[in-house]
Amino acid sequence: MSSTEPVSLLVAGRDVIADDVVVLTLRDAGANELPEWTPGAHIDILTGDSMSRQYSLCGDPADRGAWRIAVLRDPASRGGSRFVHDGLSVGSTVGVRGPRNHFPLQPAERYLFVAGGIGITPILPMIAAAESRGAPWRLLYGGRRRASMAFVDELGRYGDRVLIRPEDEYGLLDLASVLAQPRTDTLVYACGPEPLLRAVEEHCGHWPAGSLHVERFTAKTFDDEPAGADTFEVEFKRSGVTATVPPDKSIMEVAEEAGIFVLSSCMEGTCGTCETTVVEGEPVHRDSILTPQEQAAGDTMMICVSRCRSPRLVLDL
């Protein structure tokens, strides 16, 4: 099974584990092993509308026979959660692509995990990995109500290292106190709704560079639109094609018009499918994946949303 070519998997299990949260267990119909993955990885679920949606793997990476995802029914979604909740049952088959990991767990002496709502999904296998490594860790987990928070029972075995903080019981997560003291030996991993991630970023502002790692389920908003050339030239080096990118088109769209195939999915800079190596030029990053350090390096870019500051951009496509 290739990570780029879609395959059909069987829905072998379906469980409602919290209000509006369903967990699916996916297996190969022929009982073949599934590809390896590491904590933080996600897969694409093909929704039948020529689009796909990304869901974090939240099972055990050592179990090569099954993948587990948890999906929140979101009335404001683009249809992915409705497809999973209403269209998939035990015995159904679903197109899947992946896994890919743009949120890997880096080595550290200790970890602090912060999760909001369904953002607990990529954190679960990270906790298990930290536990197996013998690294000290803590989890601060918030949600609107206890009944809406997935995997609370599963997390119970970790005791007081897990702080469950439903908003209707405790108010907003006390990030100010949890993140008040920066540590050079600790990495912070956070996933959840945008207001939570913005707050975590603000409270980690005085931590050492590279301490914070976040994963967003929705595209990051920019207070100040990143500057860049309105129109620029892009050379697709391997294809031998040079084209102009106007203000109203993305690099991805221009590539497709030139007959250059680029694997893509979200089209909003959140999944990392279209990450492309930059050979020459200065990208203007508008993605929600790369860390500030990775963006500053300018080695890769997400061509579905990012643009260019220099008049010419050369890509390895």
Side-chain angles (χ1 to χ4, degrees), residues 11 16 40 49 78 111 146 195 206 208 240 247 286 292:
V11 178
V16 177
D49 58 0
R78 297 173 297 163
Y111 298 95
R146 190 175 295 270
H206 61 303
R286 293 175 177 169

Side-chain angles (χ1 to χ4, degrees), residues 3-309:
S3 63
T4 58
E5 294 298 324
V7 298
S8 182
L9 294 184
L10 177 71
V11 178
R14 184 184 189 280
D15 298 288
V16 177
I17 62 166
D19 291 351
D20 291 324
V21 179
V22 65
V23 169
L24 298 184
T25 301
L26 306 176
R27 297 184 182 274
D28 180 82
N32 296 309
E33 283 193 339
L34 299 175
E36 293 181 345
W37 61 279
T38 54
H42 70 261
I43 57 174
D44 297 343
I45 296 293
L46 309 185
T47 61
D49 58 0
S50 76
M51 293 291 289
S52 60
R53 304 295 184 267
Q54 293 73 48
Y55 298 105
S56 297
L57 291 169
C58 57
D60 179 3
D63 182 1
R64 297 289 301 279
W67 283 344
R68 183 175 74 162
I69 61 172
V71 181
L72 169 69
R73 181 188 289 276
D74 181 2
S77 79
R78 297 173 297 163
S81 68
R82 183 169 60 252
F83 171 82
V84 171
H85 277 256
D86 298 340
L88 296 179
S89 56
V90 173
S92 298
T93 57
V94 61
V96 177
R97 186 169 54 221
R100 292 190 307 278
N101 197 341
H102 292 278
F103 191 44
L105 185 67
Q106 304 290 349
E109 290 185 36
R110 61 181 65 236
Y111 298 95
L112 172 61
F113 300 109
V114 181
I118 200 63
I120 189 63
T121 51
I123 300 298
L124 278 178
M126 290 185 177
I127 288 173
E131 185 81 353
S132 67
R133 297 174 189 175
W137 60 269
R138 290 186 299 151
L139 167 66
L140 181 61
Y141 179 21
R144 294 186 183 279
R145 307 178 319 280
R146 190 175 295 270
S148 69
M149 298 171 68
F151 303 112
V152 169
D153 292 342
E154 188 170 317
L155 289 164
R157 68 178 184 268
Y158 294 119
D160 60 6
R161 285 177 293 175
V162 175
L163 292 179
I164 305 294
R165 292 293 183 264
E167 186 177 346
D168 63 347
E169 297 176 29
Y170 295 92
L172 296 176
L173 295 181
D174 187 8
L175 298 174
S177 61
V178 171
L179 298 170
Q181 184 60 47
R183 299 184 60 113
T184 58
D185 62 351
T186 301
L187 291 183
V188 180
Y189 279 80
C191 186
E194 183 62 20
L196 171 65
L197 298 184
R198 286 272 181 157
V200 172
E201 288 173 335
E202 290 173 6
H203 287 291
C204 281
H206 61 303
W207 281 61
S211 298
L212 176 61
H213 300 260
V214 302
E215 181 173 61
R216 286 178 158 85
F217 291 145
T218 57
K220 184 177 182 179
T221 57
F222 295 95
D223 294 331
D224 298 312
E225 187 67 13
D230 290 337
T231 300
F232 56 93
E233 185 178 80
V234 59
E235 177 187 345
F236 303 105
K237 190 169 184 177
R238 281 190 282 121
S239 303
V241 174
T242 299
T244 298
V245 182
D248 61 341
K249 289 185 179 180
S250 67
I251 301 172
M252 173 74 73
E253 290 172 309
V254 170
E256 291 176 343
E257 289 174 358
I260 299 168
F261 173 75
V262 182
L263 191 65
S264 61
S265 180
C266 72
M267 301 303 292
E268 59 180 20
T270 58
C271 74
T273 307
C274 69
E275 185 172 9
T276 301
T277 299
V278 177
V279 179
E280 182 183 319
E282 187 179 357
V284 175
H285 297 285
R286 293 175 177 169
D287 67 273
S288 305
I289 298 172
L290 298 176
T291 66
Q293 293 77 21
E294 290 169 334
Q295 291 187 347
D299 298 329
T300 66
M301 66 189 299
M302 309 302 161
I303 64 172
C304 66
V305 291
S306 296
R307 297 186 68 79
C308 186
R309 182 167 288 109

